[in-house]
Amino acid sequence: MLDKINILGFNQEQLGKLFSEMGEKSFRATQVLQWIHQQGVIDFDLMINLSKTLRQKLSDRLTIQPPIQMLAQTANDGTRKWLLKVDETNGIETVYIPEDDRATLCISSQVGCTLNCSFCATAKQGFNRNLLTSEIIGQLWIAEHGLRKQGLKSEHSNGRIISNVVMMGMGEPLLNFENVINSLQLMMDDFGYGLSKRRITLSTAGIVPMIDQLREKCPVSLAVSLHAPDDDLRNELVPLNKKYPIKELLAACKRYVGEEDSRKKVTFEYVLLKGINDTPKHAKALVRLLEKVPSKVNLIPFNPFEQSGFQRSNSETVENFKTILINSGLITITRKTRGDDIAAACGQLAGQVQDKSRRTIKIQSFQ
Ligand code: SAH
């Protein structure tokens, strides 16, 4: 018998095509999408606006299979982290961050990561594989519908619990481009999660050609992990810089925001590492660097993990750094550390990765 097709990651077009191939009307696709993503229903039998015969036909051939929840932890500040099993050997992490005016889900795009940034816990896990679209959108499905089932009420007018998505979990989203784009489309689809592109942020370490591709295919808000104001230091912290140095990266950022809308900005993430990139000299160099790019800066206090070898800058240093940026007119915020008591903060996500050591082969191309 053929394996059933998992349609959790199918978008409107793909589902419409599949239904036509099965001899069904393609508009049924939008009904099924609404059941899955808006109602959280993954049992065809419960999709009562479809005929019984159709429901039977669908469940004979198709399945709707989210990742399996292994563990859910809630931090003191309400941040929640799920460990999700995506296959026999691999687990990924997803983090829900409630705030006063929004609730953000931080989603992973790969099992592990190939980029090997020196201060990131995910890097230490190595890399195994790209996540499928069903495994990426499945994280949003689990969070949205899992939290609804627990009785959490929506704070938002559209009835959804998750109001914002950040592609800032494990992995480099622009190295899993097709599946990430498919997932973003489902997040934005009115029959899916109906999120506007302003409410979705993709964070990249700087895969220059793919930044241009993203602009063409799905121009969501862009965040770039900069972390250093010059190539020498950035080569050390983010080895990808050897392949795509700062000048090329900033040029791509400028192209990304374009010139039509002066409100559009790229968010530059900058993790503050004690004694490494946190002096007034670094701050001033950063100001000069970002002069010609419409930017916001997001300062991230370093989140320690075992054997990281780095330390968090003290709060006075962070304040000084921030003041230099603000006084030069740069919009700057310091990211609040959330969920660090359950290792759910930025850069602490590790999941369970069966490293197939392909990373060692892959990263050579960045060196
Ligand atoms: N690969 C993408 C997506 C990961 S996003 C990227 O690099 O942007 C995760 C964010 O957390 C990135 O800005 C990353 O640089 C930052 N980060 C990684 N390790 C960290 C740590 N230990 N403490 C604080 N931030 C960290």
Side-chain angles (χ1 to χ4, degrees), residues 113 115 117 119-121 167-173 203-205 223-225 227 269 271 300-305 335 346-348:
C113 190
L115 297 182
C117 298
F119 51 86
C120 179
M167 298 300 300
M168 293 188 186
M170 297 165 64
E172 169 49 54
S203 177
T204 177
V224 170
S225 295
H227 307 315
E269 294 159 289
V271 59
I300 315 175
F302 172 65
N303 294 307
F305 53 91
R335 192 180 287 175
C346 301
Q348 291 184 319

Side-chain angles (χ1 to χ4, degrees), residues 70-272:
M70 301 297 284
L71 191 70
Q73 288 171 284
T74 307
N76 295 328
D77 64 8
T79 301
R80 198 173 165 79
K81 180 171 86 166
W82 290 264
L83 174 63
L84 305 173
K85 182 172 159 181
V86 288
D87 57 45
E88 278 324 304
T89 47
N90 293 301
I92 52 160
E93 293 186 322
T94 305
V95 181
Y96 163 75
I97 309 150
E99 287 170 273
D100 291 341
D101 58 341
R102 65 176 76 180
T104 305
L105 193 71
C106 178
I107 290 184
S108 294
S109 56
Q110 296 183 311
V111 182
C113 190
T114 57
L115 297 182
N116 209 16
C117 298
S118 55
F119 51 86
C120 179
T122 305
K124 306 287 178 243
Q125 304 287 306
F127 174 74
N128 195 333
R129 66 172 174 85
N130 280 333
L131 290 177
L132 305 170
T133 307
S134 58
E135 294 162 339
I136 300 172
I137 200 71
Q139 298 170 60
L140 181 52
W141 187 91
I142 284 178
E144 175 69 38
H145 298 292
L147 292 170
R148 276 195 217 176
K149 271 203 194 95
Q150 286 182 10
L152 214 78
K153 292 278 172 284
S154 167
E155 306 277 335
H156 313 288
S157 53
N158 65 4
R160 316 260 157 73
I161 288 177
I162 310 289
S163 65
N164 293 62
V165 165
V166 292
M167 298 300 300
M168 293 188 186
M170 297 165 64
E172 169 49 54
L174 293 186
L175 289 179
N176 184 10
F177 193 72
E178 207 181 314
N179 296 343
V180 165
I181 294 289
N182 283 340
S183 308
L184 298 180
Q185 281 164 352
L186 265 172
M187 291 173 199
M188 290 165 58
D189 192 330
D190 284 338
F191 295 104
Y193 296 85
L195 293 173
S196 79
K197 60 178 192 286
R198 283 175 305 111
R199 289 186 176 273
I200 302 176
T201 302
L202 182 144
S203 177
T204 177
I207 318 285
V208 167
M210 303 320 283
I211 293 178
D212 290 318
Q213 293 275 317
L214 185 68
R215 176 169 50 97
E216 272 169 37
K217 297 255 162 66
C218 197
V220 293
S221 306
L222 182 69
V224 170
S225 295
L226 191 59
H227 307 315
D230 62 78
D231 282 326
D232 282 347
L233 183 54
R234 194 165 190 266
N235 287 345
E236 296 293 314
L237 300 175
V238 183
L240 176 72
N241 194 67
K242 294 174 193 162
K243 186 156 184 186
Y244 303 116
I246 292 178
K247 197 166 163 217
E248 287 176 31
L249 176 57
L250 295 187
C253 291
K254 253 180 113 166
R255 290 194 291 276
Y256 197 86
V257 290
E259 277 160 14
E260 304 94 68
D261 184 352
S262 59
R263 288 165 305 176
K264 269 189 162 176
K265 293 188 167 48
V266 174
T267 300
F268 290 96
E269 294 159 289
Y270 195 102
V271 59
L272 286 163

Side-chain angles (χ1 to χ4, degrees), residues 17-34:
K17 195 161 158 257
L18 181 74
F19 278 32
S20 313
E21 281 163 14
M22 288 171 74
E24 293 298 332
K25 298 264 186 301
S26 58
F27 78 87
R28 297 276 176 216
T30 54
Q31 293 179 312
V32 171
L33 274 182
Q34 284 175 304

